[in-house]
Amino acid sequence: MKSHEDACSSSGEGPTESCKKVRKVQPSKEEEEEETDVDLCEFGFDWALLPQEILLNIFQFLPLLDRAYASQVCRGWNQAFHMPELWRCFEFELNQPASSYLKATHPDLIKQIIKRHSNHLQYVSFKVDSSTESAEAACDILSQLVNCSLKTLGLISTARPSFMELPKSHFISALTVVFVNSKSLSSLKIDDTPVDDPSLKVLVANNSDTLRMLKMSSCPHVSPAGILCVADQCHGLRELALNYHLLSDELLLALSSEKHVHLEHLRIDVVSENPGQHFHTIKKSSWDAMVCHSPKFNLVMYFFLYEDEFGPFFREEVPITHLYFGRSVSKDVLGRVGLHCPRLVELVVCANGLRPLDEELIRIANRCTQLSAIGLGECEVSCSAFVEFVKMCGRRLSQLSIMEEVLIPDHKYNLDEIHWEVSKHLGRVWFPDMMPTW
């Protein structure tokens, strides 16, 4: 009987060629992959000849550093690396090694972008650390974008607001370059910057037809008249974020005019700079005009006030949908929230004190029929009142974040029993949040 090797030899072919044919009858997975690789080589496949549209699609999924490495493979891939479509969206990360552990965009790459791709940039953001040097670097780049037409611009301070430490004239000069040359800005995020009224007028003069979103919280050099100018001229504005000191009856009426589109999102930060600060009151008629014009708009308000500064707020009906208290808030204020915020969807209370909020929660559940999310931090609520609150709200409560320390056991429920009762009314398993032991 012939051996396997003899059988291969007797076929008139060498053992290697014949055995390859035998293996192809039932190849392993690894061998299939090897054969595929061999087939590509046999057909003379050249990766350098990959169509540009396919390369573009691949490069769009690669991180910038990997794209840069790939561009060194061949001339065709290098050309693909510089395709305008890949440079429409870019985020400059400007961090100083001495003050930040975050990665930074390499200076050589920044020079190359300004030289070859500034006219391709459309969606740009700058992330700067807490150093003044990083903010200055951002302004230097902005001042060189004379050939671009940006659609979105974001200036983001990842730590303290370093843009505020720059000379105002230097910042305004750099920002104005973008405002004048873009002509089609639709989104602008300039929180914590020294932007002022004259620069906003330049923005409006060149981008009034296209501006859709403006976020400018904590901009102390802007006056109510400055933001009113934006609302009067930018009739397509759909999203606006600012501090309470810029909010006025005139602004709400301008946003409610027939010429203006329906507003979708209005965020107001109510921040106390000094204890005992006085805050003005917005008329109920102005809020009513806003709701009449934009019945589905979200009004988001963040409060960072001391307890004795809430006097002007929640005295009349306010169309708040999302309400956040970053400091301790009194039972009286929460009671007024239940009476005067019928559109409330989300409520977060950071702290209250040692007086139970039983009545206030029941009132909110009864009057705020759209409430679907609530979070309670350093507060106290009896277990019975909390179960009643959940029962009244029912399954519309999609988010329920309550620290275990908030719930006070009583004659009906203890902490071991309450999660079963709450889960029953929610229609899903629920447990209170627990403070990490570490």
Side-chain angles (χ1 to χ4, degrees):
M1 190 172 180
K2 293 182 179 181
S3 67
H4 178 68
E5 186 173 333
D6 293 337
C8 291
S9 301
S10 65
S11 64
E13 298 175 326
T16 304
E17 289 77 4
S18 179
C19 290
K20 277 186 179 178
K21 289 185 177 181
V22 174
R23 284 200 299 271
K24 287 182 181 178
V25 175
Q26 289 182 333
S28 66
K29 184 177 179 181
E30 290 77 8
E31 289 170 337
E32 286 179 344
E33 293 175 353
E34 288 177 3
E35 288 179 4
T36 301
D37 293 339
V38 172
D39 288 340
L40 290 175
C41 295
E42 287 177 351
F43 284 102
F45 186 83
D46 189 349
W47 287 96
L49 299 179
L50 201 65
Q52 290 278 308
E53 58 271 18
I54 297 179
L55 265 180
L56 173 62
N57 193 33
I58 295 173
F59 274 34
Q60 286 175 333
F61 287 96
L62 294 179
L64 179 61
L65 187 59
D66 291 341
R67 260 191 272 162
Y69 287 143
S71 70
Q72 301 175 32
V73 170
C74 61
R75 181 178 298 175
W77 286 27
N78 185 266
Q79 292 173 350
F81 177 75
H82 293 289
M83 284 190 288
E85 292 85 352
L86 293 175
W87 299 98
R88 289 175 180 167
C89 179
F90 194 83
E91 182 176 84
F92 293 92
E93 297 184 89
L94 306 174
N95 305 298
Q96 303 301 313
S99 59
S100 176
Y101 62 88
L102 300 173
K103 64 179 181 179
T105 307
H106 197 280
D108 291 341
L109 178 59
I110 294 175
K111 293 179 181 178
Q112 188 177 80
I113 291 173
I114 294 173
K115 181 180 179 180
R116 299 189 60 172
H117 302 293
S118 62
N119 59 325
H120 302 147
L121 296 173
Q122 293 183 1
Y123 309 95
V124 175
S125 61
F126 292 82
K127 280 188 176 180
V128 301
D129 60 12
S130 59
S131 66
T132 306
E133 292 82 2
S134 295
E136 289 177 345
C139 287
D140 290 340
I141 296 172
L142 284 172
S143 63
Q144 297 179 68
L145 300 182
V146 294
N147 296 319
C148 70
S149 182
L150 298 187
K151 295 184 182 297
T152 68
L153 174 63
L155 303 181
I156 304 166
S157 299
T158 57
R160 60 190 178 91
S162 50
F163 284 108
M164 293 300 299
E165 299 180 1
L166 297 178
K168 179 184 169 185
S169 58
H170 179 42
F171 176 82
I172 296 299
S173 175
L175 194 62
T176 302
V177 169
V178 176
F179 288 172
V180 170
N181 290 282
S182 289
K183 306 292 185 183
S184 58
L185 268 175
S186 63
S187 173
L188 181 62
K189 186 181 185 301
I190 48 175
D191 299 322
D192 299 300
T193 64
V195 63
D196 60 5
D197 291 358
S199 57
L200 288 182
K201 289 183 179 180
V202 176
L203 168 68
V204 169
N206 293 276
N207 301 272
S208 61
D209 294 335
T210 58
L211 192 63
R212 299 290 178 266
M213 183 186 79
L214 176 60
K215 294 186 177 182
M216 45 176 297
S217 297
S218 301
C219 296
H221 301 296
V222 175
S223 71
I227 192 62
L228 181 59
C229 172
V230 176
D232 279 336
Q233 300 297 322
C234 301
H235 298 145
L237 195 64
R238 296 182 180 275
E239 186 172 346
L240 180 62
L242 40 75
N243 278 65
Y244 187 79
H245 80 274
L246 296 179
L247 186 66
S248 65
D249 295 297
E250 293 78 12
L251 177 62
L252 292 178
L253 294 177
L255 294 172
S256 307
S257 67
E258 294 182 0
K259 296 180 180 179
H260 208 286
V261 300
H262 297 304
L263 195 71
E264 297 175 357
H265 194 92
L266 176 61
R267 168 177 167 162
I268 308 295
D269 291 349
V270 191
V271 182
S272 174
E273 303 295 340
N274 303 295
Q277 183 176 337
H278 174 74
F279 292 89
H280 62 283
T281 302
I282 300 297
K283 296 177 182 177
K284 181 179 180 299
S285 58
S286 302
W287 287 122
D288 291 343
M290 190 74 243
V291 174
C292 182
H293 180 265
S294 304
K296 296 182 179 181
F297 91 105
N298 289 317
L299 175 57
V300 183
M301 296 191 74
Y302 287 80
F303 282 85
F304 297 90
L305 302 183
Y306 298 99
E307 288 191 15
D308 58 348
E309 297 173 331
F310 280 96
F313 299 102
F314 310 112
R315 296 294 181 182
E316 295 182 300
E317 189 171 300
V318 185
I320 297 177
T321 56
H322 300 74
L323 180 57
Y324 307 91
F325 292 104
R327 291 177 181 164
S328 180
V329 59
S330 67
K331 283 171 60 70
D332 177 57
V333 172
L334 289 175
R336 301 203 305 259
V337 168
L339 288 174
H340 301 301
C341 299
R343 297 177 76 239
L344 193 63
V345 173
E346 182 178 11
L347 173 65
V348 175
V349 180
C350 177
N352 165 257
L354 300 179
R355 297 175 62 190
L357 299 176
D358 296 6
E359 295 179 4
E360 290 72 23
L361 273 188
I362 299 300
R363 180 181 296 172
I364 288 172
N366 184 46
R367 299 290 294 271
C368 305
T369 57
Q370 301 179 57
L371 187 71
S372 62
I374 186 169
L376 299 178
E378 297 179 12
C379 309
E380 286 192 359
V381 180
S382 71
C383 288
S384 296
F386 182 66
V387 169
E388 182 63 22
F389 167 80
V390 174
K391 182 179 179 180
M392 294 174 69
C393 293
R395 300 192 178 191
R396 75 169 190 263
L397 279 177
S398 59
Q399 296 183 35
L400 186 61
S401 179
I402 311 296
M403 297 300 298
E404 186 179 55
E405 292 78 8
V406 169
L407 301 171
I408 308 301
D410 55 20
H411 64 286
K412 284 190 176 182
Y413 304 100
N414 59 38
L415 293 178
D416 294 328
E417 301 168 336
I418 191 171
H419 79 90
W420 292 108
E421 193 68 20
V422 171
S423 298
K424 179 178 70 176
H425 295 299
L426 289 178
R428 64 180 188 274
V429 176
W430 177 86
F431 286 93
D433 298 335
M434 300 185 67
M435 187 72 70
T437 55
W438 43 265

